[in-house]
Amino acid sequence: PPEERTQPPKMIQIEIYPGSVSINSRSVNMETLSQILGKLGAISSTQTVMIMCAADSEHDLLIQVLDRCTEAGLSNLSVMSMD
C-alpha cells in the first residue's frame, strides 16, 4: 500500500465556480471537500489555503468552503476573486 503523506502540499488551491467547487483542480462535492481538508488539517493546520472565487459564484459556496476550512483547523486562508 502507498505510504501516508506526512508532508503537507505547499499550497491547497480551492476554486469556486457557479454551482461547483474544486480542490487542486479536482471537482469535489462539499462532503468530499470536508474529508480532504480534514486530512490535510491533521497533517498541518498552518499550510496555506488559496480560495479563488469566480465573480459569478454564489456567496453561499464561499461561506461553506470557509466553514469547512475552519472545521478542519486550517487558518492560513487567502481569498481572491477570478474574472
Side-chain angles (χ1 to χ4, degrees):
E3 291 183 27
E4 285 290 317
R5 179 187 286 245
T6 56
Q7 292 294 320
K10 291 182 180 174
M11 182 176 69
I12 302 165
Q13 183 171 316
I14 299 173
E15 296 176 348
I16 302 172
Y17 298 101
S20 69
V21 175
S22 65
I23 182 166
N24 294 340
S25 301
R26 177 180 153 206
S27 183
V28 294
N29 60 32
M30 284 297 168
E31 181 180 339
T32 302
L33 180 68
S34 293
Q35 293 170 354
I36 293 170
L37 292 175
K39 290 176 184 175
L40 293 170
I43 295 169
S44 172
S45 62
T46 61
Q47 58 194 305
T48 301
V49 180
M50 174 64 72
I51 302 169
M52 302 172 67
C53 299
D56 55 349
S57 63
E58 297 89 357
H59 290 99
D60 182 56
L61 278 180
L62 172 60
I63 300 303
Q64 290 179 50
V65 168
L66 291 171
D67 286 346
R68 279 156 177 79
C69 289
T70 300
E71 290 166 5
L74 297 164
S75 58
N76 190 11
L77 311 176
S78 296
V79 179
M80 66 179 286
S81 178
M82 299 183 290
D83 288 331

